[in-house]
Every structure is written in structure tokens, then in C-alpha cells.
Amino acid sequence: MLVRDVMNPAPVACQATDAVSDAVKLLKRNDISGMPVLEGEKLVGVVSESDLLKLLSAEEEGGLWLPSPLEILEVPIRDLIRWEKLQAGAEEAGMTKISDVMTENVFTVGPDDMIEEAAAIMVRQRINRLPVLEDDKLVGIITRGDIIAGLGMEASEVEED
């Protein structure tokens, strides 16, 4: 079975100059967890939920901390300050450009590649989606779910024979 048989031929994509907040809206509206990133029509990266979550990771303070009786009053204040930092970080993250958070080293497949090859790349690279390029132009996207669905179709065809 070929990639073209199971790929989505109309992938949702964003531009590298788009704001993170716009990309998040696209992901949510289309119920997807990642998408190709373009500069014009050229594929320059992929952005996933994991890339976006990295923007919100709060700095962790290391070590074991046991409060003294006086510091017990300080705990709520410390938590409030941490919350305010996280909130400010979330607001700043929304204004960040996708090009600042996207994954640039993108693995791709062609529409005439076998789905087994696409599956092997996904497993080996621990990724969930592959942009499909033909003549350096984005013509589709294939996900793990697409491959599973394709294998299911193939299995049901064998059972019917």
C-alpha cells in the first residue's frame, strides 16, 4: 500500500511567521496535534503540541525544602509569585512566532513510498506524522492513525477474498 492511498491530501498547515496563539487555534479547530510549517509554499518545519508545551514549562526549583515556622507564612506568597510568572509566560508565549518553537529537521515521505517505510521512519524517529512532499511541494500528511486505518482496510480486503 502506498502513502498516497492513506494520506490526508489536504493537510492543515501554518506559516513560520504565524503567532503561536494562531497555531493553537488551528490545532484545536481541526482536532489535530501537529502540522507542517511553511514559508510560502516551502516546508520549513513541523509544530506539535509538544513544541508548544515547551513554551509553558515553568522553571523548577531544585532540592528539598522544609519550611521553618516563619516560612509557613511565606509559602502562599511564593506560590502566588510562581503563578504570576506562569501567567505572564503564557501571554508572552502566544505572541511568539512559530519559527521560534517549531522542529526544523523534518522527516518526509513521498506519495509513492510504501506505508511500511513511513511507519518505520515514525517508529525510528519517535514522531507521529510525516509531511508528504512531491517535487518539494507539500501534497499531504500521513499520521500513525492513517497507517493503522490503511492496514485495517488492507486486512478487511484480505478477509473478503
Side-chain angles (χ1 to χ4, degrees), residues 124-155:
R124 196 170 40 251
Q125 301 303 324
R126 295 187 175 132
I127 54 179
N128 297 323
R129 70 200 51 80
L130 289 169
V132 182
L133 298 183
E134 190 168 44
D135 299 324
D136 290 329
K137 185 178 178 198
L138 181 67
V139 295
I141 192 160
I142 186 169
T143 65
R144 289 178 179 218
D146 296 329
I147 292 172
I148 300 295
L151 293 173
M153 287 185 332
E154 206 170 61

mmCIF file of all heavy atoms in Angstrom, residues 124-155:
data_model
loop_
_atom_site.group_PDB
_atom_site.id
_atom_site.type_symbol
_atom_site.label_atom_id
_atom_site.label_comp_id
_atom_site.label_asym_id
_atom_site.label_seq_id
_atom_site.Cartn_x
_atom_site.Cartn_y
_atom_site.Cartn_z
ATOM 1 N N ARG A 124 11.210 4.800 14.267
ATOM 2 C CA ARG A 124 12.630 5.062 14.491
ATOM 3 C C ARG A 124 12.859 6.474 15.045
ATOM 4 O O ARG A 124 13.675 6.667 15.937
ATOM 5 C CB ARG A 124 13.388 4.865 13.173
ATOM 6 C CG ARG A 124 14.868 4.739 13.310
ATOM 7 C CD ARG A 124 15.594 4.314 12.035
ATOM 8 N NE ARG A 124 15.104 4.909 10.807
ATOM 9 C CZ ARG A 124 14.428 4.247 9.852
ATOM 10 N NH1 ARG A 124 14.158 2.974 9.985
ATOM 11 N NH2 ARG A 124 14.020 4.861 8.753
ATOM 12 N N GLN A 125 12.130 7.449 14.544
ATOM 13 C CA GLN A 125 12.336 8.844 14.948
ATOM 14 C C GLN A 125 11.401 9.295 16.086
ATOM 15 O O GLN A 125 11.480 10.433 16.527
ATOM 16 C CB GLN A 125 12.154 9.772 13.736
ATOM 17 C CG GLN A 125 13.098 9.481 12.597
ATOM 18 C CD GLN A 125 14.560 9.548 13.005
ATOM 19 O OE1 GLN A 125 14.947 10.388 13.829
ATOM 20 N NE2 GLN A 125 15.371 8.670 12.457
ATOM 21 N N ARG A 126 10.498 8.400 16.488
ATOM 22 C CA ARG A 126 9.531 8.693 17.555
ATOM 23 C C ARG A 126 8.706 9.941 17.236
ATOM 24 O O ARG A 126 8.610 10.882 18.031
ATOM 25 C CB ARG A 126 10.234 8.850 18.896
ATOM 26 C CG ARG A 126 10.870 7.572 19.359
ATOM 27 C CD ARG A 126 11.410 7.700 20.756
ATOM 28 N NE ARG A 126 11.904 6.426 21.195
ATOM 29 C CZ ARG A 126 13.075 6.246 21.770
ATOM 30 N NH1 ARG A 126 13.863 7.262 21.992
ATOM 31 N NH2 ARG A 126 13.456 5.051 22.143
ATOM 32 N N ILE A 127 8.124 9.926 16.032
ATOM 33 C CA ILE A 127 7.268 11.027 15.602
ATOM 34 C C ILE A 127 5.907 10.479 15.200
ATOM 35 O O ILE A 127 5.767 9.283 14.941
ATOM 36 C CB ILE A 127 7.903 11.836 14.452
ATOM 37 C CG1 ILE A 127 8.292 10.924 13.282
ATOM 38 C CG2 ILE A 127 9.100 12.624 14.951
ATOM 39 C CD1 ILE A 127 8.904 11.639 12.098
ATOM 40 N N ASN A 128 4.912 11.346 15.156
ATOM 41 C CA ASN A 128 3.544 10.912 14.907
ATOM 42 C C ASN A 128 3.006 11.250 13.527
ATOM 43 O O ASN A 128 1.928 10.788 13.167
ATOM 44 C CB ASN A 128 2.602 11.535 15.944
ATOM 45 C CG ASN A 128 2.930 11.064 17.327
ATOM 46 O OD1 ASN A 128 3.290 9.917 17.538
ATOM 47 N ND2 ASN A 128 2.825 11.964 18.292
ATOM 48 N N ARG A 129 3.736 12.068 12.783
ATOM 49 C CA ARG A 129 3.240 12.486 11.475
ATOM 50 C C ARG A 129 4.409 12.758 10.532
ATOM 51 O O ARG A 129 5.493 13.116 10.984
ATOM 52 C CB ARG A 129 2.363 13.737 11.607
ATOM 53 C CG ARG A 129 3.111 14.989 11.968
ATOM 54 C CD ARG A 129 2.268 16.088 12.558
ATOM 55 N NE ARG A 129 1.426 15.694 13.663
ATOM 56 C CZ ARG A 129 1.860 15.552 14.918
ATOM 57 N NH1 ARG A 129 3.112 15.742 15.225
ATOM 58 N NH2 ARG A 129 1.030 15.193 15.872
ATOM 59 N N LEU A 130 4.148 12.592 9.246
ATOM 60 C CA LEU A 130 5.154 12.886 8.227
ATOM 61 C C LEU A 130 4.514 13.707 7.116
ATOM 62 O O LEU A 130 3.510 13.279 6.535
ATOM 63 C CB LEU A 130 5.696 11.590 7.604
ATOM 64 C CG LEU A 130 6.582 10.718 8.469
ATOM 65 C CD1 LEU A 130 6.795 9.360 7.802
ATOM 66 C CD2 LEU A 130 7.917 11.399 8.707
ATOM 67 N N PRO A 131 5.079 14.867 6.815
ATOM 68 C CA PRO A 131 4.612 15.593 5.643
ATOM 69 C C PRO A 131 4.930 14.774 4.386
ATOM 70 O O PRO A 131 5.947 14.082 4.329
ATOM 71 C CB PRO A 131 5.430 16.885 5.664
ATOM 72 C CG PRO A 131 5.881 17.026 7.083
ATOM 73 C CD PRO A 131 6.080 15.618 7.572
ATOM 74 N N VAL A 132 4.050 14.854 3.411
ATOM 75 C CA VAL A 132 4.244 14.145 2.144
ATOM 76 C C VAL A 132 4.596 15.191 1.097
ATOM 77 O O VAL A 132 3.815 16.128 0.850
ATOM 78 C CB VAL A 132 2.964 13.370 1.743
ATOM 79 C CG1 VAL A 132 3.204 12.608 0.449
ATOM 80 C CG2 VAL A 132 2.537 12.421 2.860
ATOM 81 N N LEU A 133 5.789 15.043 0.513
ATOM 82 C CA LEU A 133 6.268 16.003 -0.482
ATOM 83 C C LEU A 133 6.363 15.360 -1.853
ATOM 84 O O LEU A 133 6.786 14.207 -1.986
ATOM 85 C CB LEU A 133 7.653 16.534 -0.098
ATOM 86 C CG LEU A 133 7.801 17.300 1.209
ATOM 87 C CD1 LEU A 133 9.236 17.787 1.361
ATOM 88 C CD2 LEU A 133 6.833 18.457 1.290
ATOM 89 N N GLU A 134 5.991 16.137 -2.862
ATOM 90 C CA GLU A 134 6.169 15.733 -4.255
ATOM 91 C C GLU A 134 6.737 16.942 -4.977
ATOM 92 O O GLU A 134 6.119 18.013 -4.973
ATOM 93 C CB GLU A 134 4.833 15.298 -4.858
ATOM 94 C CG GLU A 134 4.969 14.646 -6.218
ATOM 95 C CD GLU A 134 3.682 13.969 -6.647
ATOM 96 O OE1 GLU A 134 2.596 14.575 -6.470
ATOM 97 O OE2 GLU A 134 3.768 12.838 -7.151
ATOM 98 N N ASP A 135 7.930 16.765 -5.570
ATOM 99 C CA ASP A 135 8.638 17.883 -6.211
ATOM 100 C C ASP A 135 8.795 19.057 -5.242
ATOM 101 O O ASP A 135 8.557 20.219 -5.595
ATOM 102 C CB ASP A 135 7.904 18.332 -7.486
ATOM 103 C CG ASP A 135 7.822 17.230 -8.525
ATOM 104 O OD1 ASP A 135 8.792 16.447 -8.642
ATOM 105 O OD2 ASP A 135 6.782 17.136 -9.198
ATOM 106 N N ASP A 136 9.184 18.756 -4.012
ATOM 107 C CA ASP A 136 9.399 19.747 -2.947
ATOM 108 C C ASP A 136 8.161 20.551 -2.582
ATOM 109 O O ASP A 136 8.248 21.615 -1.989
ATOM 110 C CB ASP A 136 10.546 20.706 -3.308
ATOM 111 C CG ASP A 136 11.895 20.015 -3.264
ATOM 112 O OD1 ASP A 136 12.062 19.077 -2.461
ATOM 113 O OD2 ASP A 136 12.786 20.417 -4.036
ATOM 114 N N LYS A 137 6.984 20.060 -2.940
ATOM 115 C CA LYS A 137 5.732 20.734 -2.597
ATOM 116 C C LYS A 137 4.928 19.838 -1.663
ATOM 117 O O LYS A 137 4.827 18.633 -1.879
ATOM 118 C CB LYS A 137 4.928 21.029 -3.857
ATOM 119 C CG LYS A 137 3.685 21.835 -3.576
ATOM 120 C CD LYS A 137 2.934 22.166 -4.840
ATOM 121 C CE LYS A 137 1.673 22.934 -4.460
ATOM 122 N NZ LYS A 137 0.700 22.951 -5.504
ATOM 123 N N LEU A 138 4.346 20.448 -0.635
ATOM 124 C CA LEU A 138 3.523 19.709 0.325
ATOM 125 C C LEU A 138 2.231 19.271 -0.370
ATOM 126 O O LEU A 138 1.461 20.099 -0.831
ATOM 127 C CB LEU A 138 3.192 20.595 1.536
ATOM 128 C CG LEU A 138 2.361 19.955 2.637
ATOM 129 C CD1 LEU A 138 3.160 18.846 3.337
ATOM 130 C CD2 LEU A 138 1.929 21.015 3.647
ATOM 131 N N VAL A 139 2.043 17.951 -0.448
ATOM 132 C CA VAL A 139 0.847 17.413 -1.111
ATOM 133 C C VAL A 139 -0.021 16.592 -0.149
ATOM 134 O O VAL A 139 -1.072 16.104 -0.541
ATOM 135 C CB VAL A 139 1.207 16.559 -2.352
ATOM 136 C CG1 VAL A 139 1.851 17.425 -3.418
ATOM 137 C CG2 VAL A 139 2.094 15.381 -1.970
ATOM 138 N N GLY A 140 0.447 16.446 1.091
ATOM 139 C CA GLY A 140 -0.332 15.669 2.045
ATOM 140 C C GLY A 140 0.406 15.502 3.354
ATOM 141 O O GLY A 140 1.508 16.009 3.541
ATOM 142 N N ILE A 141 -0.239 14.784 4.251
ATOM 143 C CA ILE A 141 0.376 14.415 5.527
ATOM 144 C C ILE A 141 -0.128 13.024 5.869
ATOM 145 O O ILE A 141 -1.267 12.669 5.569
ATOM 146 C CB ILE A 141 0.061 15.439 6.638
ATOM 147 C CG1 ILE A 141 0.957 15.189 7.856
ATOM 148 C CG2 ILE A 141 -1.405 15.437 7.009
ATOM 149 C CD1 ILE A 141 1.062 16.383 8.779
ATOM 150 N N ILE A 142 0.748 12.232 6.455
ATOM 151 C CA ILE A 142 0.367 10.891 6.890
ATOM 152 C C ILE A 142 0.686 10.770 8.374
ATOM 153 O O ILE A 142 1.752 11.197 8.829
ATOM 154 C CB ILE A 142 1.066 9.790 6.050
ATOM 155 C CG1 ILE A 142 0.541 8.407 6.430
ATOM 156 C CG2 ILE A 142 2.572 9.885 6.144
ATOM 157 C CD1 ILE A 142 0.976 7.304 5.475
ATOM 158 N N THR A 143 -0.266 10.228 9.108
ATOM 159 C CA THR A 143 -0.096 10.065 10.555
ATOM 160 C C THR A 143 -0.088 8.581 10.900
ATOM 161 O O THR A 143 -0.426 7.739 10.069
ATOM 162 C CB THR A 143 -1.253 10.747 11.318
ATOM 163 O OG1 THR A 143 -2.468 10.063 11.003
ATOM 164 C CG2 THR A 143 -1.351 12.220 10.971
ATOM 165 N N ARG A 144 0.255 8.298 12.140
ATOM 166 C CA ARG A 144 0.208 6.908 12.606
ATOM 167 C C ARG A 144 -1.203 6.350 12.445
ATOM 168 O O ARG A 144 -1.390 5.223 12.036
ATOM 169 C CB ARG A 144 0.633 6.822 14.067
ATOM 170 C CG ARG A 144 2.110 7.059 14.268
ATOM 171 C CD ARG A 144 2.467 7.022 15.738
ATOM 172 N NE ARG A 144 3.899 7.234 15.893
ATOM 173 C CZ ARG A 144 4.641 6.613 16.779
ATOM 174 N NH1 ARG A 144 4.096 5.759 17.620
ATOM 175 N NH2 ARG A 144 5.921 6.841 16.852
ATOM 176 N N GLY A 145 -2.205 7.173 12.756
ATOM 177 C CA GLY A 145 -3.593 6.748 12.625
ATOM 178 C C GLY A 145 -3.955 6.403 11.188
ATOM 179 O O GLY A 145 -4.702 5.449 10.942
ATOM 180 N N ASP A 146 -3.421 7.173 10.231
ATOM 181 C CA ASP A 146 -3.677 6.881 8.812
ATOM 182 C C ASP A 146 -3.107 5.515 8.434
ATOM 183 O O ASP A 146 -3.739 4.753 7.696
ATOM 184 C CB ASP A 146 -3.043 7.950 7.910
ATOM 185 C CG ASP A 146 -3.639 9.332 8.096
ATOM 186 O OD1 ASP A 146 -4.837 9.428 8.429
ATOM 187 O OD2 ASP A 146 -2.896 10.319 7.899
ATOM 188 N N ILE A 147 -1.927 5.223 8.935
ATOM 189 C CA ILE A 147 -1.288 3.938 8.621
ATOM 190 C C ILE A 147 -2.089 2.790 9.223
ATOM 191 O O ILE A 147 -2.349 1.787 8.550
ATOM 192 C CB ILE A 147 0.179 3.922 9.103
ATOM 193 C CG1 ILE A 147 0.996 4.917 8.256
ATOM 194 C CG2 ILE A 147 0.769 2.514 9.022
ATOM 195 C CD1 ILE A 147 2.402 5.147 8.733
ATOM 196 N N ILE A 148 -2.512 2.950 10.476
ATOM 197 C CA ILE A 148 -3.321 1.911 11.121
ATOM 198 C C ILE A 148 -4.611 1.695 10.340
ATOM 199 O O ILE A 148 -5.022 0.557 10.082
ATOM 200 C CB ILE A 148 -3.638 2.277 12.587
ATOM 201 C CG1 ILE A 148 -2.355 2.431 13.402
ATOM 202 C CG2 ILE A 148 -4.590 1.277 13.223
ATOM 203 C CD1 ILE A 148 -1.538 1.187 13.568
ATOM 204 N N ALA A 149 -5.268 2.787 9.950
ATOM 205 C CA ALA A 149 -6.512 2.683 9.171
ATOM 206 C C ALA A 149 -6.254 1.972 7.845
ATOM 207 O O ALA A 149 -7.048 1.132 7.410
ATOM 208 C CB ALA A 149 -7.103 4.068 8.939
ATOM 209 N N GLY A 150 -5.132 2.301 7.202
ATOM 210 C CA GLY A 150 -4.781 1.652 5.938
ATOM 211 C C GLY A 150 -4.543 0.170 6.108
ATOM 212 O O GLY A 150 -4.992 -0.642 5.285
ATOM 213 N N LEU A 151 -3.874 -0.197 7.166
ATOM 214 C CA LEU A 151 -3.634 -1.615 7.425
ATOM 215 C C LEU A 151 -4.945 -2.332 7.722
ATOM 216 O O LEU A 151 -5.139 -3.480 7.327
ATOM 217 C CB LEU A 151 -2.646 -1.795 8.578
ATOM 218 C CG LEU A 151 -1.221 -1.315 8.300
ATOM 219 C CD1 LEU A 151 -0.371 -1.390 9.568
ATOM 220 C CD2 LEU A 151 -0.583 -2.108 7.180
ATOM 221 N N GLY A 152 -5.850 -1.639 8.408
ATOM 222 C CA GLY A 152 -7.164 -2.217 8.682
ATOM 223 C C GLY A 152 -7.951 -2.446 7.410
ATOM 224 O O GLY A 152 -8.601 -3.483 7.245
ATOM 225 N N MET A 153 -7.895 -1.487 6.480
ATOM 226 C CA MET A 153 -8.578 -1.640 5.192
ATOM 227 C C MET A 153 -7.992 -2.825 4.424
ATOM 228 O O MET A 153 -8.717 -3.626 3.847
ATOM 229 C CB MET A 153 -8.434 -0.369 4.337
ATOM 230 C CG MET A 153 -9.256 0.792 4.802
ATOM 231 S SD MET A 153 -9.205 2.257 3.723
ATOM 232 C CE MET A 153 -7.630 2.208 2.916
ATOM 233 N N GLU A 154 -6.662 -2.914 4.446
ATOM 234 C CA GLU A 154 -5.978 -3.977 3.739
ATOM 235 C C GLU A 154 -6.361 -5.354 4.321
ATOM 236 O O GLU A 154 -6.623 -6.294 3.604
ATOM 237 C CB GLU A 154 -4.448 -3.773 3.834
ATOM 238 C CG GLU A 154 -3.672 -4.375 2.725
ATOM 239 C CD GLU A 154 -2.213 -3.930 2.769
ATOM 240 O OE1 GLU A 154 -1.523 -4.204 3.776
ATOM 241 O OE2 GLU A 154 -1.778 -3.295 1.803
ATOM 242 N N ALA A 155 -6.435 -5.404 5.654
ATOM 243 C CA ALA A 155 -6.800 -6.667 6.317
ATOM 244 C C ALA A 155 -8.244 -7.085 5.982
ATOM 245 O O ALA A 155 -8.517 -8.266 5.759
ATOM 246 C CB ALA A 155 -6.623 -6.546 7.824
#
